[in-house]
PDB file of all heavy atoms in Angstrom:
ATOM      1  N   GLU A   5      -0.653   8.264 -11.073  1.00  0.00           N
ATOM      2  CA  GLU A   5      -0.078   7.968  -9.677  1.00  0.00           C
ATOM      3  C   GLU A   5      -1.216   7.884  -8.718  1.00  0.00           C
ATOM      4  O   GLU A   5      -1.296   6.924  -7.835  1.00  0.00           O
ATOM      5  CB  GLU A   5       0.975   8.936  -9.219  1.00  0.00           C
ATOM      6  CG  GLU A   5       2.334   8.798  -9.933  1.00  0.00           C
ATOM      7  CD  GLU A   5       2.186   9.352 -11.343  1.00  0.00           C
ATOM      8  OE1 GLU A   5       1.277  10.195 -11.677  1.00  0.00           O
ATOM      9  OE2 GLU A   5       3.024   9.048 -12.220  1.00  0.00           O
ATOM     10  N   LEU A   6      -2.208   8.804  -8.790  1.00  0.00           N
ATOM     11  CA  LEU A   6      -3.318   8.854  -7.893  1.00  0.00           C
ATOM     12  C   LEU A   6      -4.255   7.726  -8.121  1.00  0.00           C
ATOM     13  O   LEU A   6      -4.751   7.014  -7.238  1.00  0.00           O
ATOM     14  CB  LEU A   6      -4.091  10.233  -8.054  1.00  0.00           C
ATOM     15  CG  LEU A   6      -5.259  10.446  -7.073  1.00  0.00           C
ATOM     16  CD1 LEU A   6      -4.718  10.501  -5.647  1.00  0.00           C
ATOM     17  CD2 LEU A   6      -5.965  11.698  -7.391  1.00  0.00           C
ATOM     18  N   LEU A   7      -4.511   7.351  -9.401  1.00  0.00           N
ATOM     19  CA  LEU A   7      -5.355   6.192  -9.757  1.00  0.00           C
ATOM     20  C   LEU A   7      -4.707   4.957  -9.331  1.00  0.00           C
ATOM     21  O   LEU A   7      -5.409   4.059  -8.739  1.00  0.00           O
ATOM     22  CB  LEU A   7      -5.515   6.215 -11.312  1.00  0.00           C
ATOM     23  CG  LEU A   7      -6.400   7.288 -11.903  1.00  0.00           C
ATOM     24  CD1 LEU A   7      -6.381   7.215 -13.407  1.00  0.00           C
ATOM     25  CD2 LEU A   7      -7.867   7.094 -11.406  1.00  0.00           C
ATOM     26  N   LEU A   8      -3.402   4.750  -9.403  1.00  0.00           N
ATOM     27  CA  LEU A   8      -2.696   3.570  -9.029  1.00  0.00           C
ATOM     28  C   LEU A   8      -2.762   3.429  -7.371  1.00  0.00           C
ATOM     29  O   LEU A   8      -2.956   2.398  -6.869  1.00  0.00           O
ATOM     30  CB  LEU A   8      -1.279   3.529  -9.424  1.00  0.00           C
ATOM     31  CG  LEU A   8      -1.121   3.303 -10.975  1.00  0.00           C
ATOM     32  CD1 LEU A   8       0.373   3.458 -11.368  1.00  0.00           C
ATOM     33  CD2 LEU A   8      -1.594   2.009 -11.418  1.00  0.00           C
ATOM     34  N   ARG A   9      -2.612   4.545  -6.735  1.00  0.00           N
ATOM     35  CA  ARG A   9      -2.805   4.591  -5.341  1.00  0.00           C
ATOM     36  C   ARG A   9      -4.230   4.104  -4.847  1.00  0.00           C
ATOM     37  O   ARG A   9      -4.368   3.326  -3.950  1.00  0.00           O
ATOM     38  CB  ARG A   9      -2.400   5.887  -4.757  1.00  0.00           C
ATOM     39  CG  ARG A   9      -2.168   5.879  -3.243  1.00  0.00           C
ATOM     40  CD  ARG A   9      -1.749   7.285  -2.705  1.00  0.00           C
ATOM     41  NE  ARG A   9      -0.699   7.888  -3.595  1.00  0.00           N
ATOM     42  CZ  ARG A   9      -0.768   9.112  -4.092  1.00  0.00           C
ATOM     43  NH1 ARG A   9      -1.840   9.910  -3.869  1.00  0.00           N
ATOM     44  NH2 ARG A   9       0.248   9.567  -4.818  1.00  0.00           N
ATOM     45  N   ALA A  10      -5.163   4.654  -5.638  1.00  0.00           N
ATOM     46  CA  ALA A  10      -6.602   4.279  -5.281  1.00  0.00           C
ATOM     47  C   ALA A  10      -6.809   2.791  -5.555  1.00  0.00           C
ATOM     48  O   ALA A  10      -7.573   2.080  -4.844  1.00  0.00           O
ATOM     49  CB  ALA A  10      -7.527   5.096  -6.090  1.00  0.00           C
ATOM     50  N   LEU A  11      -6.180   2.299  -6.623  1.00  0.00           N
ATOM     51  CA  LEU A  11      -6.307   0.867  -6.982  1.00  0.00           C
ATOM     52  C   LEU A  11      -5.676   0.029  -5.940  1.00  0.00           C
ATOM     53  O   LEU A  11      -6.249  -1.079  -5.562  1.00  0.00           O
ATOM     54  CB  LEU A  11      -5.722   0.591  -8.346  1.00  0.00           C
ATOM     55  CG  LEU A  11      -5.762  -0.812  -8.888  1.00  0.00           C
ATOM     56  CD1 LEU A  11      -7.227  -1.182  -9.053  1.00  0.00           C
ATOM     57  CD2 LEU A  11      -5.018  -0.913 -10.204  1.00  0.00           C
ATOM     58  N   ASP A  12      -4.534   0.417  -5.356  1.00  0.00           N
ATOM     59  CA  ASP A  12      -3.874  -0.369  -4.304  1.00  0.00           C
ATOM     60  C   ASP A  12      -4.864  -0.358  -3.106  1.00  0.00           C
ATOM     61  O   ASP A  12      -4.791  -1.438  -2.413  1.00  0.00           O
ATOM     62  CB  ASP A  12      -2.564   0.448  -3.899  1.00  0.00           C
ATOM     63  CG  ASP A  12      -1.491   0.208  -4.931  1.00  0.00           C
ATOM     64  OD1 ASP A  12      -1.543  -0.834  -5.714  1.00  0.00           O
ATOM     65  OD2 ASP A  12      -0.499   0.990  -4.895  1.00  0.00           O
ATOM     66  N   GLU A  13      -5.541   0.694  -2.794  1.00  0.00           N
ATOM     67  CA  GLU A  13      -6.455   0.731  -1.676  1.00  0.00           C
ATOM     68  C   GLU A  13      -7.526  -0.431  -1.830  1.00  0.00           C
ATOM     69  O   GLU A  13      -7.940  -1.131  -0.930  1.00  0.00           O
ATOM     70  CB  GLU A  13      -7.117   2.033  -1.495  1.00  0.00           C
ATOM     71  CG  GLU A  13      -6.120   3.129  -1.057  1.00  0.00           C
ATOM     72  CD  GLU A  13      -6.758   4.575  -1.040  1.00  0.00           C
ATOM     73  OE1 GLU A  13      -7.965   4.659  -1.413  1.00  0.00           O
ATOM     74  OE2 GLU A  13      -6.046   5.544  -0.757  1.00  0.00           O
ATOM     75  N   VAL A  14      -8.119  -0.429  -3.067  1.00  0.00           N
ATOM     76  CA  VAL A  14      -9.144  -1.456  -3.329  1.00  0.00           C
ATOM     77  C   VAL A  14      -8.582  -2.866  -3.240  1.00  0.00           C
ATOM     78  O   VAL A  14      -9.256  -3.776  -2.600  1.00  0.00           O
ATOM     79  CB  VAL A  14      -9.821  -1.215  -4.733  1.00  0.00           C
ATOM     80  CG1 VAL A  14     -10.848  -2.287  -5.066  1.00  0.00           C
ATOM     81  CG2 VAL A  14     -10.431   0.128  -4.766  1.00  0.00           C
ATOM     82  N   GLU A  15      -7.435  -3.089  -3.751  1.00  0.00           N
ATOM     83  CA  GLU A  15      -6.839  -4.413  -3.731  1.00  0.00           C
ATOM     84  C   GLU A  15      -6.439  -4.818  -2.260  1.00  0.00           C
ATOM     85  O   GLU A  15      -6.509  -5.998  -1.932  1.00  0.00           O
ATOM     86  CB  GLU A  15      -5.544  -4.399  -4.658  1.00  0.00           C
ATOM     87  CG  GLU A  15      -6.003  -4.372  -6.085  1.00  0.00           C
ATOM     88  CD  GLU A  15      -4.831  -4.271  -7.056  1.00  0.00           C
ATOM     89  OE1 GLU A  15      -3.692  -3.962  -6.666  1.00  0.00           O
ATOM     90  OE2 GLU A  15      -5.044  -4.514  -8.295  1.00  0.00           O
ATOM     91  N   ALA A  16      -6.107  -3.841  -1.437  1.00  0.00           N
ATOM     92  CA  ALA A  16      -5.835  -4.109  -0.062  1.00  0.00           C
ATOM     93  C   ALA A  16      -7.109  -4.582   0.655  1.00  0.00           C
ATOM     94  O   ALA A  16      -7.135  -5.545   1.439  1.00  0.00           O
ATOM     95  CB  ALA A  16      -5.268  -2.934   0.652  1.00  0.00           C
ATOM     96  N   TRP A  17      -8.239  -3.928   0.301  1.00  0.00           N
ATOM     97  CA  TRP A  17      -9.580  -4.351   0.807  1.00  0.00           C
ATOM     98  C   TRP A  17      -9.920  -5.767   0.395  1.00  0.00           C
ATOM     99  O   TRP A  17     -10.386  -6.578   1.109  1.00  0.00           O
ATOM    100  CB  TRP A  17     -10.584  -3.356   0.314  1.00  0.00           C
ATOM    101  CG  TRP A  17     -12.002  -3.840   0.749  1.00  0.00           C
ATOM    102  CD1 TRP A  17     -12.646  -3.668   1.884  1.00  0.00           C
ATOM    103  CD2 TRP A  17     -12.898  -4.405  -0.177  1.00  0.00           C
ATOM    104  NE1 TRP A  17     -13.868  -4.106   1.781  1.00  0.00           N
ATOM    105  CE2 TRP A  17     -14.124  -4.710   0.563  1.00  0.00           C
ATOM    106  CE3 TRP A  17     -12.800  -4.994  -1.459  1.00  0.00           C
ATOM    107  CZ2 TRP A  17     -15.177  -5.407   0.010  1.00  0.00           C
ATOM    108  CZ3 TRP A  17     -13.872  -5.560  -2.050  1.00  0.00           C
ATOM    109  CH2 TRP A  17     -15.058  -5.826  -1.180  1.00  0.00           C
ATOM    110  N   GLU A  18      -9.541  -6.086  -0.864  1.00  0.00           N
ATOM    111  CA  GLU A  18      -9.807  -7.428  -1.424  1.00  0.00           C
ATOM    112  C   GLU A  18      -9.036  -8.514  -0.611  1.00  0.00           C
ATOM    113  O   GLU A  18      -9.576  -9.620  -0.292  1.00  0.00           O
ATOM    114  CB  GLU A  18      -9.538  -7.458  -2.898  1.00  0.00           C
ATOM    115  CG  GLU A  18     -10.448  -6.697  -3.814  1.00  0.00           C
ATOM    116  CD  GLU A  18     -10.067  -6.717  -5.274  1.00  0.00           C
ATOM    117  OE1 GLU A  18      -8.881  -7.126  -5.541  1.00  0.00           O
ATOM    118  OE2 GLU A  18     -10.822  -6.279  -6.117  1.00  0.00           O
ATOM    119  N   ARG A  19      -7.790  -8.234  -0.290  1.00  0.00           N
ATOM    120  CA  ARG A  19      -6.994  -9.062   0.424  1.00  0.00           C
ATOM    121  C   ARG A  19      -7.516  -9.305   1.855  1.00  0.00           C
ATOM    122  O   ARG A  19      -7.274 -10.376   2.419  1.00  0.00           O
ATOM    123  CB  ARG A  19      -5.526  -8.651   0.435  1.00  0.00           C
ATOM    124  CG  ARG A  19      -4.839  -8.756  -0.935  1.00  0.00           C
ATOM    125  CD  ARG A  19      -3.337  -8.488  -0.776  1.00  0.00           C
ATOM    126  NE  ARG A  19      -3.011  -7.194  -0.391  1.00  0.00           N
ATOM    127  CZ  ARG A  19      -2.787  -6.145  -1.155  1.00  0.00           C
ATOM    128  NH1 ARG A  19      -2.917  -6.358  -2.491  1.00  0.00           N
ATOM    129  NH2 ARG A  19      -2.503  -4.914  -0.716  1.00  0.00           N
ATOM    130  N   ASP A  20      -8.177  -8.308   2.394  1.00  0.00           N
ATOM    131  CA  ASP A  20      -8.694  -8.402   3.718  1.00  0.00           C
ATOM    132  C   ASP A  20      -9.918  -9.290   3.883  1.00  0.00           C
ATOM    133  O   ASP A  20     -10.323  -9.704   4.895  1.00  0.00           O
ATOM    134  CB  ASP A  20      -9.052  -7.030   4.321  1.00  0.00           C
ATOM    135  CG  ASP A  20      -7.877  -6.173   4.669  1.00  0.00           C
ATOM    136  OD1 ASP A  20      -6.776  -6.825   4.857  1.00  0.00           O
ATOM    137  OD2 ASP A  20      -7.919  -4.989   4.773  1.00  0.00           O
ATOM    138  N   GLN A  21     -10.532  -9.667   2.708  1.00  0.00           N
ATOM    139  CA  GLN A  21     -11.752 -10.478   2.712  1.00  0.00           C
ATOM    140  C   GLN A  21     -11.420 -11.947   2.862  1.00  0.00           C
ATOM    141  O   GLN A  21     -11.812 -12.757   2.014  1.00  0.00           O
ATOM    142  CB  GLN A  21     -12.608 -10.218   1.435  1.00  0.00           C
ATOM    143  CG  GLN A  21     -12.831  -8.722   1.062  1.00  0.00           C
ATOM    144  CD  GLN A  21     -13.651  -8.036   2.229  1.00  0.00           C
ATOM    145  OE1 GLN A  21     -14.719  -8.391   2.537  1.00  0.00           O
ATOM    146  NE2 GLN A  21     -13.060  -7.050   2.800  1.00  0.00           N
ATOM    147  N   LYS A  22     -10.626 -12.277   3.862  1.00  0.00           N
ATOM    148  CA  LYS A  22     -10.054 -13.628   3.896  1.00  0.00           C
ATOM    149  C   LYS A  22     -10.618 -14.474   4.995  1.00  0.00           C
ATOM    150  O   LYS A  22     -10.513 -15.678   5.083  1.00  0.00           O
ATOM    151  CB  LYS A  22      -8.524 -13.553   4.068  1.00  0.00           C
ATOM    152  CG  LYS A  22      -7.823 -13.085   2.784  1.00  0.00           C
ATOM    153  CD  LYS A  22      -6.287 -13.141   3.082  1.00  0.00           C
ATOM    154  CE  LYS A  22      -5.579 -12.736   1.819  1.00  0.00           C
ATOM    155  NZ  LYS A  22      -4.075 -12.798   1.980  1.00  0.00           N
ATOM    156  N   ASP A  23     -11.278 -13.883   5.935  1.00  0.00           N
ATOM    157  CA  ASP A  23     -11.864 -14.680   6.978  1.00  0.00           C
ATOM    158  C   ASP A  23     -13.344 -14.400   7.190  1.00  0.00           C
ATOM    159  O   ASP A  23     -13.829 -13.258   6.755  1.00  0.00           O
ATOM    160  CB  ASP A  23     -11.161 -14.273   8.324  1.00  0.00           C
ATOM    161  CG  ASP A  23     -11.399 -15.382   9.378  1.00  0.00           C
ATOM    162  OD1 ASP A  23     -11.813 -16.488   9.069  1.00  0.00           O
ATOM    163  OD2 ASP A  23     -11.166 -14.998  10.553  1.00  0.00           O
ATOM    164  N   LEU A  24     -14.032 -15.388   7.620  1.00  0.00           N
ATOM    165  CA  LEU A  24     -15.462 -15.200   7.809  1.00  0.00           C
ATOM    166  C   LEU A  24     -15.751 -14.908   9.328  1.00  0.00           C
ATOM    167  O   LEU A  24     -15.112 -15.490  10.253  1.00  0.00           O
ATOM    168  CB  LEU A  24     -16.188 -16.549   7.554  1.00  0.00           C
ATOM    169  CG  LEU A  24     -15.959 -17.155   6.133  1.00  0.00           C
ATOM    170  CD1 LEU A  24     -16.619 -18.450   6.103  1.00  0.00           C
ATOM    171  CD2 LEU A  24     -16.543 -16.179   5.084  1.00  0.00           C
ATOM    172  N   TRP A  25     -16.659 -13.957   9.599  1.00  0.00           N
ATOM    173  CA  TRP A  25     -16.952 -13.624  10.934  1.00  0.00           C
ATOM    174  C   TRP A  25     -18.072 -14.699  11.405  1.00  0.00           C
ATOM    175  O   TRP A  25     -18.438 -15.507  10.695  1.00  0.00           O
ATOM    176  CB  TRP A  25     -17.448 -12.238  11.091  1.00  0.00           C
ATOM    177  CG  TRP A  25     -18.692 -11.832  10.374  1.00  0.00           C
ATOM    178  CD1 TRP A  25     -18.899 -11.956   9.076  1.00  0.00           C
ATOM    179  CD2 TRP A  25     -19.862 -11.233  10.970  1.00  0.00           C
ATOM    180  NE1 TRP A  25     -20.116 -11.488   8.823  1.00  0.00           N
ATOM    181  CE2 TRP A  25     -20.753 -11.031   9.891  1.00  0.00           C
ATOM    182  CE3 TRP A  25     -20.171 -10.793  12.309  1.00  0.00           C
ATOM    183  CZ2 TRP A  25     -21.988 -10.430  10.164  1.00  0.00           C
ATOM    184  CZ3 TRP A  25     -21.382 -10.138  12.449  1.00  0.00           C
ATOM    185  CH2 TRP A  25     -22.327 -10.005  11.423  1.00  0.00           C
ATOM    186  N   PHE A  26     -18.382 -14.615  12.651  1.00  0.00           N
ATOM    187  CA  PHE A  26     -19.145 -15.554  13.385  1.00  0.00           C
ATOM    188  C   PHE A  26     -20.464 -15.971  12.559  1.00  0.00           C
ATOM    189  O   PHE A  26     -20.763 -17.152  12.347  1.00  0.00           O
ATOM    190  CB  PHE A  26     -19.562 -15.087  14.755  1.00  0.00           C
ATOM    191  CG  PHE A  26     -20.456 -15.976  15.524  1.00  0.00           C
ATOM    192  CD1 PHE A  26     -19.999 -17.234  15.946  1.00  0.00           C
ATOM    193  CD2 PHE A  26     -21.789 -15.665  15.757  1.00  0.00           C
ATOM    194  CE1 PHE A  26     -20.817 -18.063  16.616  1.00  0.00           C
ATOM    195  CE2 PHE A  26     -22.622 -16.523  16.440  1.00  0.00           C
ATOM    196  CZ  PHE A  26     -22.188 -17.717  16.925  1.00  0.00           C
ATOM    197  N   TRP A  27     -21.155 -15.000  12.111  1.00  0.00           N
ATOM    198  CA  TRP A  27     -22.433 -15.368  11.474  1.00  0.00           C
ATOM    199  C   TRP A  27     -22.246 -16.080  10.173  1.00  0.00           C
ATOM    200  O   TRP A  27     -22.957 -17.039   9.802  1.00  0.00           O
ATOM    201  CB  TRP A  27     -23.219 -14.013  11.088  1.00  0.00           C
ATOM    202  CG  TRP A  27     -23.371 -13.172  12.413  1.00  0.00           C
ATOM    203  CD1 TRP A  27     -22.795 -12.006  12.685  1.00  0.00           C
ATOM    204  CD2 TRP A  27     -24.218 -13.478  13.480  1.00  0.00           C
ATOM    205  NE1 TRP A  27     -23.122 -11.554  13.933  1.00  0.00           N
ATOM    206  CE2 TRP A  27     -24.043 -12.434  14.428  1.00  0.00           C
ATOM    207  CE3 TRP A  27     -25.056 -14.458  13.834  1.00  0.00           C
ATOM    208  CZ2 TRP A  27     -24.772 -12.356  15.676  1.00  0.00           C
ATOM    209  CZ3 TRP A  27     -25.858 -14.419  15.025  1.00  0.00           C
ATOM    210  CH2 TRP A  27     -25.678 -13.420  15.911  1.00  0.00           C
ATOM    211  N   GLU A  28     -21.219 -15.705   9.388  1.00  0.00           N
ATOM    212  CA  GLU A  28     -20.931 -16.383   8.111  1.00  0.00           C
ATOM    213  C   GLU A  28     -20.514 -17.918   8.408  1.00  0.00           C
ATOM    214  O   GLU A  28     -20.751 -18.709   7.565  1.00  0.00           O
ATOM    215  CB  GLU A  28     -19.786 -15.676   7.359  1.00  0.00           C
ATOM    216  CG  GLU A  28     -20.388 -14.601   6.390  1.00  0.00           C
ATOM    217  CD  GLU A  28     -20.973 -13.423   7.126  1.00  0.00           C
ATOM    218  OE1 GLU A  28     -20.482 -13.013   8.147  1.00  0.00           O
ATOM    219  OE2 GLU A  28     -22.072 -12.956   6.684  1.00  0.00           O
ATOM    220  N   LYS A  29     -19.702 -18.063   9.443  1.00  0.00           N
ATOM    221  CA  LYS A  29     -19.304 -19.440   9.743  1.00  0.00           C
ATOM    222  C   LYS A  29     -20.494 -20.255  10.113  1.00  0.00           C
ATOM    223  O   LYS A  29     -20.590 -21.429   9.718  1.00  0.00           O
ATOM    224  CB  LYS A  29     -18.316 -19.476  10.991  1.00  0.00           C
ATOM    225  CG  LYS A  29     -16.994 -18.860  10.619  1.00  0.00           C
ATOM    226  CD  LYS A  29     -15.982 -18.699  11.727  1.00  0.00           C
ATOM    227  CE  LYS A  29     -14.649 -18.121  11.399  1.00  0.00           C
ATOM    228  NZ  LYS A  29     -13.853 -17.971  12.495  1.00  0.00           N
ATOM    229  N   LEU A  30     -21.452 -19.703  10.752  1.00  0.00           N
ATOM    230  CA  LEU A  30     -22.733 -20.433  11.024  1.00  0.00           C
ATOM    231  C   LEU A  30     -23.507 -20.703   9.690  1.00  0.00           C
ATOM    232  O   LEU A  30     -24.043 -21.711   9.484  1.00  0.00           O
ATOM    233  CB  LEU A  30     -23.687 -19.594  11.956  1.00  0.00           C
ATOM    234  CG  LEU A  30     -23.297 -19.638  13.430  1.00  0.00           C
ATOM    235  CD1 LEU A  30     -24.163 -18.676  14.218  1.00  0.00           C
ATOM    236  CD2 LEU A  30     -23.306 -20.993  14.017  1.00  0.00           C
ATOM    237  N   GLY A  31     -23.443 -19.645   8.844  1.00  0.00           N
ATOM    238  CA  GLY A  31     -24.098 -19.901   7.603  1.00  0.00           C
ATOM    239  C   GLY A  31     -23.517 -20.893   6.675  1.00  0.00           C
ATOM    240  O   GLY A  31     -24.109 -21.340   5.646  1.00  0.00           O
TER     241      GLY A  31
END
Side-chain angles (χ1 to χ4, degrees):
E5 289 73 20
L6 186 60
L7 289 172
L8 290 174
R9 195 178 310 130
L11 182 60
D12 286 341
E13 292 172 0
V14 177
E15 291 176 342
W17 172 84
E18 291 176 346
R19 289 191 294 272
D20 286 341
Q21 307 302 300
K22 288 184 177 180
D23 195 19
L24 303 174
W25 64 306
F26 177 69
W27 307 108
E28 271 64 41
K29 289 176 181 177
L30 284 177

